């Protein structure tokens, strides 16, 4: 190689990093020399003490209206270079280079920025560096300083700028030792395995430990992403239905009788010893709202199921997204709403939640959901036939078990290239008492289920709106008609044909992100073994 050519070769990233470290070291040495810090004791009174420390409680009791302008850490960018900023966040990590220099990463809502303190005359003292070095992780701090842009990309933070700190105050101290380490809780399984093989002392935080310390667990980037995605699902659900002429309602959760039948009911005694239970769904009251001439209604609210289901997809309390609407001609009108609602929802998440989806995927890798612009619809009989051709025998008039649903999901994806589809005309025997039978075959019903990645998320149907037939169906399903008399009576005053559906919010997010357990998408899960925190 020509020596001249070698001299013009660009320095490597390693060389640049080494040069940057040397530059910082030289700056530090110059600052130390100028300040004469080598002769200053850390224990001596600090003339710069006003620039750091713990904020007294009285200052945090809304004593006065502050005039400072705050900047969110997520908004810190290169365009703010040389700007003075004030941020508040948690101490994510601390790295002391020496007694004269410390790096502290501050976190807010999942975004992180590196803050730099270097001893400087009349600005940063040795005592201030010591104060920051001794801060506990997860403590809240206020940081005031100037934005700088490092020469090399920052790998450990979300924001590609630094704050050259002038002032830093502790707003609230965290304990020195926490039940779980946020960095441990944020690692993916592959990162843990790779670290253990490399001899790192990584800790695997199991699910029970996470849920027992949920307040800490929720601070991980993945959990921040999960629950922000969940909010977007709820938001689109509301906005889409409002645009379609639906009215939001709120139904009672204390009932005199079960709304779904069966034994999975939380029973309690109401005033005067009257037996009552927690609502298994808003089913009865959303139908009564249709009879009250609202035409189209929806609700977002808690649903209670006392079933002893120790599975990855069942909870004793979850958030229900429920819809009910008048039907003009055919129950397919309800499926049309499901189709357009969820396609709009999935499109919105894909277009507007990239940051959150990436945060989830980093800890829990998953492939994006495959769906069609027009949702696929199959009859239950067609689904049974597909399973039969694949060698899976199921009862043609029974329900599909979990394995059959998953296998059918695989078959549908192989044939139609979609992981989101509707299966309708279910056997009447496996549907609730208020489900309308098919006009051409009473063994089947005007009902449907909807699936994501081979798991059921939605159950819906046309309802029976004729009171005499409704009584007959309730008795056939073992429900005491007296306990739902007000419900049945509401159809005696004139009721339109109607139908609707219900879906669990947590289950939608779990399956969209392909998570392995619904407890990951419940803020504070309630299952047969957990009623705290």
């Amino acid at each position: 190689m020509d020596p001249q050519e070698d001299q013009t070769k660009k320095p490597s990233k390693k060389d640049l990093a080494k040069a940057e470290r040397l530059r910082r070291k030289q700056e530090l040495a110059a600052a130390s020399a100028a300040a004469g810090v080598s002769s200053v004791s850390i224990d001596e009174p600090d003339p710069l003490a006003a620039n750091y420390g713990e904020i007294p409680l009285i200052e945090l009791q809304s004593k006065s209206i502050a005039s400072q302008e705050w900047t969110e850490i997520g908004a810190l960018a290169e365009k703010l270079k040389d700007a003075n900023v004030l941020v508040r966040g948690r101490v994510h990590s601390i790295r002391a280079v020496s007694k004269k220099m410390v790096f502290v990463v501050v976190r807010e809502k999942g975004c992180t920025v590196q803050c730099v303190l270097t001893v400087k005359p009349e600005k940063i003292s040795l005592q201030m560096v010591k104060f920051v070095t001794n801060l506990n992780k997860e403590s809240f701090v206020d940081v005031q300083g100037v934005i700088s842009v490092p020469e090399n990309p920052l790998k450990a933070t979300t924001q590609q700028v630094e704050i050259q700190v002038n002032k830093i105050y502790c707003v609230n101290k965290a304990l020195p030792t926490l039940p779980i380490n946020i960095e441990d809780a944020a690692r993916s399984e592959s990162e843990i395995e790779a670290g253990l093989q490399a001899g790192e002392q990584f800790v695997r935080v199991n699910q029970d430990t996470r849920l027992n310390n949920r307040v800490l667990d929720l601070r991980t980037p993945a959990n921040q992403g999960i629950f922000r995605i969940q909010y977007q699902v709820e938001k689109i659900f509301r906005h889409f239905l409002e645009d379609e002429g639906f009215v939001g309602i709120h139904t009672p959760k204390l009932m005199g009788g079960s709304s779904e039948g069966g034994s999975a009911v939380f029973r309690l005694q109401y005033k005067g010893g009257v037996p009552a239970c927690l609502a298994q769904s808003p089913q009865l009251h959303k139908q009564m709202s249709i009879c009250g001439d609202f035409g189209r209604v929806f609700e977002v609210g808690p649903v209670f199921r006392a079933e002893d289901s120790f599975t990855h997809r069942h909870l004793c309390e979850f958030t229900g997204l429920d819809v009910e609407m008048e039907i003009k001609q055919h129950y397919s009108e309800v499926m049309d709403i499901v189709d357009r609602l969820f396609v709009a929802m999935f499109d919105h998440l894909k277009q507007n939640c990239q940051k959150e989806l990436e945060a989830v995927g980093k800890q829990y890798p998953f492939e994006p959901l495959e769906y069609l612009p027009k949702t696929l619809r199959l009859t239950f009989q067609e689904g049974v036939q597909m399973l039969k051709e694949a060698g899976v025998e199921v009862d043609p008039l029974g329900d599909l078990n979990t394995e059959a649903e998953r296998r059918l999901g695989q078959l549908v994806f192989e044939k139609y290239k979609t992981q989101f589809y509707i299966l309708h005309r279910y056997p009447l025997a496996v549907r609730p008492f208020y489900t309308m039978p098919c006009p051409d075959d009473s063994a089947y019903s005007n009902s449907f289920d909807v699936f994501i990645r081979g798991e059921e998320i939605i159950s819906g149907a046309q309802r029976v709106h004729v009171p005499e037939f409704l009584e007959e169906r309730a008795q056939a399903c073992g429900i005491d008609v007296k306990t739902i008399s007000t419900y049945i009576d509401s159809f005696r005053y004139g009721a339109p044909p109607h139908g609707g559906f219900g879906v669990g919010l947590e289950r939608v997010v779990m399956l969209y992100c392909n998570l392995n357990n619904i407890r990951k998408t419940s803020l504070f899960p309630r299952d047969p073994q957990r009623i705290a925190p």
Side-chain angles (χ1 to χ4, degrees):
M1 182 183 287
D2 190 335
Q4 272 189 328
E5 184 181 336
D6 186 57
Q7 286 175 7
T8 59
K9 186 178 177 181
K10 290 184 178 180
S12 66
K13 288 184 179 180
K14 189 174 181 181
D15 291 335
L16 288 171
K18 190 182 292 185
E20 176 66 11
R21 287 196 297 272
L22 179 60
R23 183 186 67 78
R24 287 181 181 276
K25 193 173 181 180
Q26 289 170 343
E27 283 184 357
L28 178 61
S32 298
V37 294
S38 57
S39 61
V40 177
S41 169
I42 288 178
D43 298 323
E44 289 181 10
D46 186 4
L48 302 177
N51 292 344
Y52 63 95
E54 295 181 16
I55 300 178
L57 178 59
I58 193 170
E59 295 295 328
L60 301 170
Q61 291 179 295
S62 302
K63 182 180 176 183
S64 59
I65 298 175
S67 58
Q68 298 115 313
E69 189 172 316
W70 298 83
T71 303
E72 288 202 352
I73 287 176
L76 299 178
E78 292 184 15
K79 65 182 180 181
L80 295 177
K81 184 181 178 182
D82 297 329
N84 281 289
V85 296
L86 174 63
V87 302
R88 174 173 290 176
R90 292 186 182 277
V91 174
H92 184 70
S93 64
I94 299 171
R95 180 168 62 90
V97 177
S98 67
K99 291 181 179 180
K100 304 168 186 175
M101 186 176 190
V102 63
F103 295 95
V104 56
V105 174
V106 178
R107 186 184 75 246
E108 181 189 34
K109 299 176 185 175
C111 298
T112 51
V113 64
Q114 181 162 273
C115 303
V116 185
L117 285 92
T118 304
V119 170
K120 295 176 184 175
E122 300 181 5
K123 283 190 177 183
I124 308 293
S125 63
L126 280 171
Q127 293 95 321
M128 186 171 176
V129 171
K130 181 183 179 183
F131 169 77
V132 172
T133 302
N134 291 332
L135 286 170
N136 297 333
K137 285 185 180 181
E138 297 303 301
S139 295
F140 262 103
V141 292
D142 288 347
V143 179
Q144 188 176 327
V146 178
I147 295 294
S148 65
V149 181
E151 292 182 11
N152 301 312
L154 297 169
K155 295 180 180 179
T157 58
T158 61
Q159 309 309 115
Q160 292 303 301
V161 296
E162 292 179 328
I163 298 178
Q164 301 299 322
V165 178
N166 292 325
K167 297 179 181 180
I168 183 168
Y169 305 100
C170 182
V171 176
N172 185 259
K173 286 193 297 185
L175 292 172
T177 303
L178 300 172
I180 59 174
N181 186 305
I182 307 302
E183 291 176 338
D184 289 335
R187 290 192 185 95
S188 68
E189 190 60 30
S190 61
E191 286 176 318
I192 293 171
E193 289 296 332
L196 292 174
Q197 289 177 10
E200 299 281 356
Q201 297 298 311
F202 283 173
V203 175
R204 181 180 278 107
V205 185
N206 66 40
Q207 181 170 274
D208 280 340
T209 302
R210 289 177 182 275
L211 297 181
N212 289 340
N213 301 281
R214 190 62 158 160
V215 170
L216 290 171
D217 184 45
L218 288 173
R219 297 176 190 175
T220 66
N223 280 329
Q224 287 288 307
I226 286 170
F227 292 102
R228 293 175 194 279
I229 291 167
Q230 187 180 93
Y231 166 69
Q232 292 298 319
V233 170
E234 179 186 347
K235 185 176 83 169
I236 293 303
F237 178 80
R238 290 180 184 276
H239 290 181
F240 177 91
L241 293 173
E242 286 169 359
D243 291 343
E244 293 287 328
F246 285 76
V247 177
I249 60 172
H250 301 283
T251 61
K253 305 310 167 193
L254 283 170
M255 299 185 64
S258 66
S259 51
E260 300 288 325
S263 59
V265 183
F266 283 107
R267 301 191 183 279
L268 54 94
Q269 279 197 330
Y270 201 56
K271 298 293 185 180
V274 176
C277 62
L278 294 177
Q280 294 167 290
S281 81
Q283 184 59 49
L284 309 187
H285 290 93
K286 66 179 182 175
Q287 284 187 257
M288 291 168 73
S289 298
I290 297 299
C291 294
D293 284 353
F294 283 98
R296 293 182 157 198
V297 299
F298 72 89
E299 180 173 14
V300 178
V303 175
F304 302 92
R305 301 285 171 87
E307 52 196 353
D308 291 328
S309 298
F310 298 90
T311 73
H312 74 286
R313 64 177 187 170
H314 287 96
L315 292 170
C316 289
E317 180 185 351
F318 62 89
T319 302
L321 308 177
D322 276 88
V323 169
E324 203 72 20
M325 58 183 278
E326 289 185 11
I327 292 174
K328 301 301 184 185
Q329 288 184 308
H330 196 274
Y331 78 99
S332 62
E333 295 164 30
V334 183
M335 292 190 286
D336 291 341
I337 290 292
V338 172
D339 175 3
R340 292 188 289 110
L341 166 62
F342 278 84
V343 169
M345 186 183 293
F346 298 153
D347 286 346
H348 175 85
L349 294 178
K350 186 165 62 175
Q351 294 164 11
N352 298 285
C353 296
Q354 280 302 312
K355 178 182 172 183
E356 290 80 6
L357 291 168
E358 285 172 10
V360 177
K362 186 176 180 182
Q363 182 165 5
Y364 306 113
F366 69 97
E367 292 297 322
L369 181 71
E370 298 284 348
Y371 60 98
L372 302 173
K374 177 69 176 174
T375 303
L376 173 71
R377 298 180 194 182
L378 299 171
T379 66
F380 186 84
Q381 289 166 306
E382 289 172 329
V384 168
Q385 184 60 33
M386 287 179 70
L387 287 167
K388 186 176 180 181
E389 290 172 0
V392 181
E393 291 295 332
V394 296
D395 182 353
L397 294 178
D399 207 352
L400 300 180
N401 61 29
T402 302
E403 281 107 16
E405 287 178 348
R406 285 179 180 162
R407 182 65 180 125
L408 181 58
Q410 293 170 353
L411 296 171
V412 167
F413 183 64
E414 290 168 6
K415 186 173 182 178
Y416 299 101
K417 305 304 178 190
T418 181
Q419 296 171 304
F420 178 73
Y421 70 96
I422 299 172
L423 195 65
H424 66 110
R425 282 179 63 101
Y426 265 72
L428 183 63
V430 300
R431 307 304 281 197
F433 75 94
Y434 46 75
T435 306
M436 183 70 81
C438 284
D440 58 336
D441 189 342
S442 60
Y444 292 91
S445 62
N446 293 349
S447 65
F448 60 90
D449 278 359
V450 184
F451 296 85
I452 294 181
R453 302 187 195 269
E455 292 197 35
E456 178 250 314
I457 60 157
I458 297 175
S459 188
Q462 180 180 357
R463 323 301 188 185
V464 175
H465 63 284
V466 180
E468 295 78 17
F469 189 25
L470 197 56
E471 284 181 328
E472 181 185 320
R473 289 285 303 133
Q475 289 169 347
C477 292
I479 295 174
D480 184 354
V481 176
K482 293 178 182 177
T483 65
I484 55 170
S485 60
T486 54
Y487 163 67
I488 295 176
D489 286 345
S490 66
F491 298 102
R492 301 188 195 280
Y493 315 133
H498 60 280
F501 61 90
V503 53
L505 175 61
E506 293 87 351
R507 195 174 289 189
V508 172
V509 178
M510 176 186 80
L511 293 172
Y512 185 83
C513 296
N514 205 18
L515 298 167
N516 64 2
N517 198 298
I518 199 166
R519 291 157 185 81
K520 286 185 169 71
T521 58
S522 177
L523 199 67
F524 296 98
R526 295 294 180 260
D527 61 30
Q529 294 180 316
R530 182 174 291 279
I531 198 168

